Amino acid sequence: MATTGDETLADERGRRIQAGGAAIAAGVLTIGGGVLTQVVYSSLPDVHLIGVLREQLGPPSSRPGLKAHQVFWYHDHAAALILLSVVLALAAATIGLALSQLYRSVKARRPELKPAVVYAVVAGAVLVAVSGLVRAVAQATGSASYAGAAHQTAAAARDVLQSPTIVAAALMQQLGVFALGIAFVLIALNAMRVGLLTRFMGVLGIIAGVVFIVPQLGSSLPIVQAFWLCALGVLFLHRWPAGMPPAWVTGEAQPWPTQQQLRESRLESRAAAGEGGDEAPRRNPMRRARPEPPETPAPELPERRPHPSSKKKKRKRR
């Protein structure tokens, strides 16, 4: 691990293309896998809970049940499902690689970052990729054996869809998704603290991690995750439109100022401007000066004439 700023920059320069390509590929594969999932599963037969309960609580029957329609659907779409699992596995692998590269840059600027974060990245990516492939293969083989069986009962169809392999793969996938989501949040937060990510990118990375864990909070397509990963690839390639954050240039942590620091800076600038208050305020030369109104003389008061009764009083005194 690099220890100085120059060593960090040299290390990042050597893996710049790899990290940028992995992040952009992860974004493209993520949104592509989401679209492909919507297309493939759009024709999956719906099985309502009430019908399943009625079928299970009723007398046993030798006829195929409601679950049998789904088993036949898995058999007919086995190739598409395996292709989808490969795309999602590649997406998980590239996500893990992109997050590992960002973790490496953060670790060089923040040595106290725990190695457990990168362990979560690797474990999550492996669990998501492997479980998806195992689940698709188990569904394909189970549905094929059911379609070729002589007795296609409702219980046999439920056994195919709830086989131990499929249940274990689903649990593995949930653990992997949780680990990757936590890694999203922790790496984005620490990258924002050391100045590798802007505040917008840091907050968006945290949101992407939360939506990754609970997809119901976002849209049906992983748009947030795909956008963040592609933007991360642009940062890795040093092609950020607004200019690279200082931490990418110095190789050291450059924390963004807090709201308290920004407030103090504004107060200091106002105080410095107040010290030069003896000078006359500058006027904008582009602004037209208003003509001063002409001075109007004060109105002359009319002379007050003495009342006739005052003259009579003066004569009496004489």
Side-chain angles (χ1 to χ4, degrees):
M1 185 65 67
T3 56
T4 64
D6 293 336
E7 292 177 352
T8 300
L9 293 178
D11 176 67
E12 291 174 351
R13 196 179 302 114
R15 54 187 175 86
R16 180 181 300 172
I17 304 299
Q18 177 186 3
I24 294 175
V28 173
L29 288 171
T30 298
I31 192 66
V35 173
L36 189 59
T37 301
Q38 295 288 331
V39 173
V40 171
Y41 281 94
S42 61
S43 59
L44 178 65
D46 293 330
V47 177
H48 299 287
L49 180 61
I50 297 177
V52 175
L53 291 176
R54 185 184 299 116
E55 187 177 77
Q56 291 179 352
L57 297 176
S61 175
S62 59
R63 296 180 304 174
L66 297 175
K67 290 290 186 179
H69 298 292
Q70 289 187 340
V71 174
F72 288 132
W73 182 89
Y74 283 115
H75 176 64
D76 295 336
H77 296 80
L81 292 173
I82 292 176
L83 175 62
L84 174 61
S85 66
V86 172
V87 173
L88 294 178
L90 291 175
T94 50
I95 288 174
L97 182 58
L99 290 179
S100 299
Q101 295 290 341
L102 184 58
Y103 168 85
R104 191 170 172 177
S105 297
V106 175
K107 181 69 173 178
R109 295 164 175 83
R110 190 179 175 89
E112 60 269 23
L113 183 61
K114 301 298 182 182
V117 178
V118 74
Y119 297 157
V121 172
V122 176
V126 171
L127 286 175
V128 171
V130 173
S131 63
L133 292 172
V134 171
R135 187 174 183 178
V137 173
Q139 288 173 343
T141 55
S143 60
S145 62
Y146 180 84
H151 301 285
Q152 299 173 346
T153 62
R158 287 194 297 271
D159 292 340
V160 170
L161 297 178
Q162 299 175 0
S163 66
T165 304
I166 293 178
V167 173
L171 292 176
M172 289 172 55
Q173 188 174 29
Q174 291 300 319
L175 289 175
V177 167
F178 182 78
L180 271 182
I182 294 297
F184 260 104
V185 173
L186 294 178
I187 293 178
L189 178 62
N190 285 276
M192 181 175 59
R193 286 177 176 174
V194 300
L196 288 174
L197 297 181
T198 62
R199 292 190 183 278
F200 170 76
M201 279 289 292
V203 173
L204 191 64
I206 295 173
I207 294 174
V210 174
V211 174
F212 198 86
I213 299 173
V214 189
Q216 290 80 8
L217 298 177
S219 62
S220 57
L221 294 176
I223 299 175
V224 178
Q225 299 94 315
F227 175 81
W228 188 82
L229 289 166
C230 291
L232 180 62
V234 175
L235 266 176
F236 279 140
L237 297 174
H238 283 223
R239 293 291 187 270
W240 196 249
M244 294 298 295
W248 290 101
V249 180
T250 62
E252 299 177 355
Q254 300 286 337
W256 302 103
T258 62
Q259 294 296 327
Q260 180 65 24
Q261 292 173 343
L262 292 174
R263 192 178 302 109
E264 293 176 355
S265 177
R266 286 196 296 266
L267 292 176
E268 291 177 359
S269 61
R270 290 177 183 175
E275 293 177 357
D278 297 337
E279 299 179 359
R282 298 181 180 179
R283 294 183 178 181
N284 188 359
M286 301 300 294
R287 185 177 178 181
R288 296 179 59 184
R290 294 182 179 179
E292 297 182 358
E295 297 182 359
T296 55
E300 297 181 358
L301 297 177
E303 296 182 358
R304 187 175 181 182
R305 296 181 181 180
H307 198 272
S309 59
S310 61
K311 292 183 180 180
K312 292 181 182 181
K313 292 179 181 179
K314 290 181 181 179
R315 291 175 184 175
K316 290 180 181 180
R317 290 178 183 175
R318 289 178 184 177

